[in-house]
């Protein structure tokens, strides 16, 4: 039987999680919702994010999803419990899998976390990482989302902004921060995987990047008890169906989304959600 999986994000960033799911679970049927009309979630209050995330999750379940993946860091950090309480299907968010992957990788037991203002203010990653005895330093990087949305993935302005954020975090120049022994930088936002080449170039040797997308896909695969099939190492043709929904311009979703998904997006349905 093919599982129907709903994947939700505030926008197109969660397509990085769908891209990983298509690698590990290409046989599932996917419905993806990007709540682009109400993006960004990362600068909004907990009450607002919760309202938006709950209505989006309910929509996917109404579409037949039997399993929900909250591919948005902000929605997971602020509203996972409320989402779980509002639907009658299993829900997996990105924070725990991402934190677990970072904890497994860190030898120094120190992880630096970057994300939206709301995710960082929630300290969700710090709380999750503390269960593995990991100490964290957190930094909100609010300019990264609009820069990535603009397609400025490897642009001098983005590099300049990244240098400021990483130096405020004490990661560059190397050894600037006295107590800095973080050997993992956790990308706690759906948009940041697109900045991996830039960030890797700027970071000192010995600091690894972890993003929640791959870890979340692995977690979903384990929960569904399916052997991960990642031999090809690239996106394989899915054998299930793929449906895309957005709350704002389908054309913008298609164009921008293709960069995140790593493949063309055929059709996108415009929907409206209750407040
Ligand atoms: N999807 C959000 C996240 O992962 C980033 C975009 C937004 O702020 O809505 O935190």
């Amino acid at each position: 039987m093919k599982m129907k999986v709903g994947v939700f994000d505030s926008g197109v960033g969660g397509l990085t999680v769908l891209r990983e799911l298509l690698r590990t679970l290409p046989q599932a049927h996917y419905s993806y919702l990007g709540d682009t009309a109400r993006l960004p979630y990362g600068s909004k209050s907990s009450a607002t994010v919760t309202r938006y995330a709950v209505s989006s999750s309910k929509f996917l379940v109404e579409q037949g999803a039997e399993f929900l993946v909250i591919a948005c860091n902000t929605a997971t950090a602020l509203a996972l419990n409320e989402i779980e309480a509002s639907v009658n299907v299993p829900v997996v968010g990105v924070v725990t899998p991402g934190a677990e992957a970072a904890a497994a990788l860190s030898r120094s037991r120190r992880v630096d976390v970057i994300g939206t203002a709301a995710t960082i203010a929630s300290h969700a990653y710090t709380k999750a990482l503390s269960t593995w005895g990991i100490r964290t330093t957190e930094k909100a990087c609010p300019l990264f989302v609009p820069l990535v949305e603009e397609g400025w993935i490897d642009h001098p302005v983005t590099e300049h902004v990244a240098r400021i954020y990483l130096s405020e975090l004490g990661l560059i120049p190397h050894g600037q921060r006295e107590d800095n022994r973080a050997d993992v930088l956790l990308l706690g936002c759906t948009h940041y995987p697109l900045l991996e080449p830039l960030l890797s170039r700027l970071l000192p040797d010995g600091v690894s990047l972890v993003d929640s997308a791959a870890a979340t896909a692995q977690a979903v695969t384990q929960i569904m008890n399916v052997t991960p099939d990642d031999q090809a190492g690239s996106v394989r043709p899915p054998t299930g169906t793929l449906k895309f929904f957005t709350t704002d311009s389908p054309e913008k979703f298609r164009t921008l989304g293709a960069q995140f998904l790593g493949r063309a997006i055929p059709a996108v349905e415009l929907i409206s959600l209750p407040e």
Side-chain angles (χ1 to χ4, degrees):
M1 193 194 82
K2 287 186 177 176
M3 188 67 139
K4 292 182 184 159
V5 180
V7 183
F8 158 63
D9 180 38
S10 56
V12 291
L15 291 167
T16 55
V17 178
L18 179 58
R19 185 173 62 193
E20 296 299 328
L21 284 166
L22 290 171
R23 259 180 208 156
T24 55
L25 275 175
Q27 66 275 37
H29 294 295
Y30 292 100
S31 294
Y32 180 98
L33 168 60
D35 188 12
T36 47
R38 304 190 288 194
L39 176 138
Y41 281 20
S43 57
K44 297 199 168 69
S45 70
S46 186
T48 301
V49 169
T50 301
R51 207 168 64 242
Y52 292 173
V54 164
S55 69
S56 301
S57 301
K58 283 182 172 169
F59 170 82
L60 285 169
V61 173
E62 280 158 18
Q63 292 300 305
E66 300 157 316
F67 194 102
L68 273 189
V69 180
I70 309 304
C72 177
N73 289 261
T74 306
T76 303
L78 274 62
L80 189 64
N81 292 343
E82 289 80 357
I83 294 169
E84 280 173 333
S86 71
V87 294
N88 55 0
V89 300
V91 182
V92 167
V94 284
V95 170
T96 302
E100 193 172 356
L105 196 62
S106 176
R107 298 276 74 86
S108 66
R109 318 307 291 154
R110 281 173 184 244
V111 170
D112 286 351
V113 182
I114 55 175
T116 65
T119 297
I120 296 306
S122 77
H123 302 301
Y125 275 107
T126 289
K127 284 177 206 150
L129 282 158
S130 70
T131 63
W132 286 282
I134 304 280
R135 290 168 66 188
T136 58
T137 302
E138 298 178 290
K139 170 95 194 127
C141 301
L143 292 176
F144 278 162
V145 167
L147 286 167
V148 171
E149 291 263 328
E150 196 56 41
W152 288 15
I153 306 258
D154 204 356
H155 189 280
V157 169
T158 313
E159 176 169 340
H160 189 69
V161 169
R163 280 186 189 280
I164 293 171
Y165 284 148
L166 294 180
S167 64
E168 284 175 1
L169 200 48
L171 272 172
I172 58 169
H174 189 31
Q176 183 195 13
R177 196 171 83 210
E178 280 284 302
D179 66 345
N180 182 29
R181 290 183 197 84
D183 55 357
V184 172
L185 177 62
L186 175 49
L187 308 181
C189 174
T190 49
H191 284 59
Y192 301 176
L194 271 76
L195 297 175
E196 276 200 43
L198 170 66
L199 295 172
S200 308
R201 213 171 58 231
L202 299 181
L203 285 171
D205 290 345
V207 179
S208 310
L209 290 171
V210 166
D211 80 72
S212 308
T216 303
Q218 294 297 336
V220 173
T221 307
Q222 270 167 20
I223 291 166
M224 291 193 185
N225 213 5
V226 180
T227 315
D229 183 3
D230 192 20
Q231 290 114 353
S234 61
V235 180
R236 292 154 13 109
T239 53
T241 51
L242 271 175
K243 281 190 194 162
F244 298 93
F245 301 93
T246 186
T247 52
D248 195 31
S249 162
E251 203 37 57
K252 188 171 177 206
F253 184 101
R254 283 185 66 232
T255 313
L256 195 56
Q259 288 180 50
F260 287 80
L261 190 60
R263 63 164 72 193
I265 296 176
V268 184
E269 190 177 325
L270 177 63
I271 58 149
S272 59
L273 291 171
E275 258 293 299

